[in-house]
Amino acid sequence: MASDGPGPLRWTAPILLNLLIGLLATVPLGCAWWLVSEWLPMDCGSVQESYSPGFSGSCNYSTLDNGPVVMGLGAVSGAVVLGLVAWANVSLSRNPALGRATWLRAAPFVVAPFAAWAVLALLAG
């Protein structure tokens, strides 16, 4: 088998860069988490709907106000993170000193910070 580089040092740059991108990825993933857990379960789609006769659902006005902002932030930050992932794991993987396989094996580290945050949030209640 051929060696792809100087051992553990070969993995340092791809893993650290993917972890750094993962820290940035907590923003769009956190926005998606908020939308699924807070915004989607509401029974109303607008403040006017909650004033209609016979409405007995739950309606959180601050969640209604923040919904479009969180959707926009999630979309913009998600596009930036996807661009960074493509740049790091496609463009930089062409470096012959590191090799494509090293970068592709390090790509799952992008979700590690969000996964740690999600596990802590679920354990906290």
Side-chain angles (χ1 to χ4, degrees):
M1 276 201 315
S3 175
D4 287 344
L9 188 59
R10 181 180 107 220
W11 284 89
T12 306
I15 289 175
L16 289 178
L17 186 58
N18 280 308
L19 283 173
L20 181 63
I21 293 171
L23 287 175
L24 296 174
T26 58
V27 175
L29 291 172
C31 289
W33 181 295
W34 183 86
L35 287 168
V36 169
S37 64
E38 298 290 328
W39 193 64
L40 285 180
M42 284 194 322
D43 294 336
C44 63
S46 68
V47 176
Q48 290 80 16
E49 185 180 326
S50 65
Y51 293 128
S52 64
F55 180 76
S56 61
S58 64
C59 193
N60 186 340
Y61 301 114
S62 64
T63 302
L64 274 175
D65 290 341
N66 294 333
V69 174
V70 174
M71 279 190 261
L73 178 64
V76 170
S77 61
V80 169
V81 167
L82 282 176
L84 286 172
V85 167
W87 169 74
N89 292 310
V90 174
S91 298
L92 294 178
S93 70
R94 293 183 179 164
N95 182 354
L98 293 173
R100 187 171 300 249
T102 304
W103 284 94
L104 292 178
R105 287 186 200 125
F109 283 94
V110 170
V111 296
F114 180 76
W117 175 75
V119 167
L120 290 174
L122 289 173
L123 291 176

